[in-house]
Amino acid sequence: MKNDVMEKKIRVAIANDHTAFEFRQPIIEYLKKTGYQVLDLGSTSAKPVDYPDYGFKIARTISDQKADLGIAICGTGIGISIAANRVHGIRCALTYEEETTRLARLHNNANVLALGARIIAPEKAVELVRIFLETPASNEERHQSRMKKLN
């Protein structure tokens, strides 16, 4: 029996600056292993690049519906999340631990998860990605009305 991920073929974009070119590898491996379709938009070397370019790239990919959800990574996650959130329809949440990751999806229907490569361990990042992808958005009216205001 195929799992839900395989049947839905959820498309997950990942974008990162130079600080996360190695950090992202366990995340990509996890995504592929668990059946997600991966769209790699990130830098693949330590050569310095500008995080806003990658924040905008992942946000446009999500807003253009070329991917369903995204993972954005820079040194702290702050800069890339600010860049992504400048694109209409993007709700990029920067998290460092489990509960805010869960609530970012559940209450805010975040469509991009931002992570800090210099802040958390790669193993922790994989766990946060798992939580982000497995948590559905709430259908409660109070959350839906807030999403309408954000849009």
Side-chain angles (χ1 to χ4, degrees):
M1 182 169 143
K2 293 181 180 178
N3 67 30
D4 290 342
V5 172
M6 296 289 263
E7 289 181 18
K8 293 179 186 175
K9 297 195 187 221
I10 296 172
R11 302 166 299 167
V12 178
I14 186 165
N16 57 277
D17 71 1
H18 60 284
T19 64
F21 86 96
E22 289 179 358
F23 180 89
R24 72 198 191 111
Q25 288 309 315
I27 296 169
I28 291 172
E29 289 170 16
Y30 166 78
L31 293 170
K32 288 180 178 179
K33 182 178 82 176
T34 52
Y36 292 95
Q37 182 180 345
V38 178
L39 181 57
D40 186 355
L41 308 171
S43 173
T44 58
S45 78
K47 181 181 176 189
V49 295
D50 295 330
Y51 63 79
D53 297 336
Y54 293 90
F56 294 140
K57 187 185 290 189
I58 196 167
R60 287 188 194 110
T61 298
I62 302 295
S63 69
D64 291 344
Q65 298 180 0
K66 294 178 182 172
D68 302 302
L69 296 169
I71 311 298
I73 314 165
C74 69
T76 62
I78 297 168
I80 204 164
S81 66
I82 291 170
N85 279 320
R86 294 186 64 111
V87 175
H88 181 74
I90 298 304
R91 294 172 305 281
C92 181
L94 170 61
T95 70
Y96 298 135
E97 51 78 38
E98 292 83 356
E99 188 62 14
T100 54
T101 303
R102 186 175 291 102
L103 292 174
R105 285 287 294 149
L106 187 64
H107 289 185
N108 307 112
N109 193 13
N111 50 14
V112 179
L113 174 65
L115 300 169
R118 293 180 175 150
I119 307 299
I120 61 174
E123 300 79 23
K124 177 74 157 197
V126 170
E127 177 62 11
L128 297 181
V129 167
R130 183 193 65 75
I131 291 167
F132 178 76
L133 296 174
E134 291 180 0
T135 303
S138 171
N139 288 325
E140 290 182 41
E141 177 56 36
R142 66 187 174 123
H143 300 301
Q144 294 299 314
S145 67
R146 293 170 186 159
M147 292 306 98
K148 288 177 187 174
K149 287 181 179 184
L150 287 175
N151 290 331

